[in-house]
Amino acid sequence: MDKKSIRKNILEARNNLDTHEKKKMDNIIEKKFLNSKEYICAKNIFIYISYGSEINTKNIILKAIKDNKNVYVPRTEIKTRNMDAVNIISFDKLIRNAYGILEPSNEELSIDPNELDLIVVPGVAFDNNKGRMGYGAGYYDRYFSKISEKYYKRINKVALAYDFQIIDHVPMDKNDVPVDSIITTSKIIL
């Protein structure tokens, strides 16, 4: 299957999840993530704010703030498809971007990507080789290219996914960056 078909099928399945079932799965994934060594050892965490049918990351963000982690969330520039990581201490000052996703305003300063310890990466589909297919705009792949080779291996790239988002093979281009691990309801792919 091509990327477009995979995206369509998985997003359709994710959008049709039963609300109660989704919440149960989100809680399982959240607990696994919060108990992971990647989370426990991280001081500077870059994590997306969940939107639509994505796994809920808002509780993770609030817990990380409570745990005195430095929490950074994406701020995007839609025209250039550029993304920065901006520190937050609550959801209070965030604004909705053109897609309706919460993000910090342009006045807030961003962190140097090399200072991050952990990046929680969104995605539509993944495979057992840690291949990742995003939404198609390339924000994260471009962001990863800003990380110096010296720090690249030190920064953990973790994805959160429902089991049905793990497919046999994710078609990847030369610019597509795999993740280091994937946490699902039933397993952790390392």
Side-chain angles (χ1 to χ4, degrees):
M1 255 200 284
D2 63 17
K3 284 187 175 187
K4 191 176 178 183
S5 304
I6 293 169
R7 260 191 208 101
K8 181 184 177 294
N9 292 344
I10 294 203
L11 288 174
E12 200 171 279
R14 210 175 68 186
N15 291 337
N16 289 323
L17 279 173
D18 172 73
T19 312
H20 179 69
E21 198 58 36
K22 179 186 183 325
K23 195 172 183 175
K24 271 176 32 184
M25 291 189 294
D26 286 2
N27 288 338
I28 292 167
I29 293 166
E30 177 185 317
K31 280 189 183 115
K32 283 184 177 184
F33 174 76
L34 293 173
N35 289 316
S36 71
K37 72 173 177 33
E38 290 82 4
Y39 172 78
I40 292 165
C41 296
K43 186 67 185 151
N44 294 321
I45 301 172
F46 181 26
I47 181 170
Y48 63 96
I49 299 174
S50 53
Y51 177 75
S53 62
E54 290 177 327
I55 291 165
N56 184 357
T57 60
K58 293 179 178 102
N59 293 336
I60 292 171
I61 292 167
L62 293 173
K63 174 78 167 104
I65 292 168
K66 192 175 167 190
D67 288 345
N68 293 315
K69 309 272 188 190
N70 297 317
V71 177
Y72 300 86
V73 298
R75 177 182 57 207
T76 56
E77 172 53 53
I78 292 168
K79 281 184 185 149
T80 61
R81 291 193 173 174
N82 189 37
M83 180 174 72
D84 290 316
V86 179
N87 183 237
I88 63 166
I89 53 170
S90 76
F91 292 112
D92 295 347
K93 293 183 180 177
L94 301 178
I95 54 175
R96 293 203 181 273
N97 69 14
Y99 296 116
I101 301 168
L102 289 173
E103 65 177 36
S105 72
N106 287 329
E107 289 81 59
E108 304 293 328
L109 295 175
S110 61
I111 188 175
D112 176 340
N114 296 306
E115 293 177 38
L116 295 167
D117 302 310
L118 172 60
I119 300 174
V120 181
V121 188
V124 175
F126 305 91
D127 63 29
N128 286 308
N129 294 319
K130 298 174 276 195
R132 169 190 169 267
M133 181 193 305
Y135 293 90
Y139 283 102
Y140 280 82
D141 295 322
R142 265 190 296 289
Y143 189 78
F144 294 147
S145 72
K146 297 178 189 178
I147 299 170
S148 158
E149 204 175 304
K150 178 181 171 185
Y151 299 105
Y152 195 80
K153 286 209 184 309
R154 180 187 59 77
I155 301 169
N156 286 300
K157 293 169 287 308
V158 176
L160 311 176
Y162 299 116
D163 287 326
F164 64 83
Q165 289 179 269
I166 309 298
I167 61 173
D168 289 337
H169 173 72
V170 167
M172 292 189 49
D173 303 324
K174 64 176 173 49
N175 297 328
D176 293 338
V177 179
V179 293
D180 298 313
S181 61
I182 305 164
I183 298 174
T184 78
T185 43
S186 69
K187 62 186 172 182
I188 296 176
I189 300 168
L190 297 169

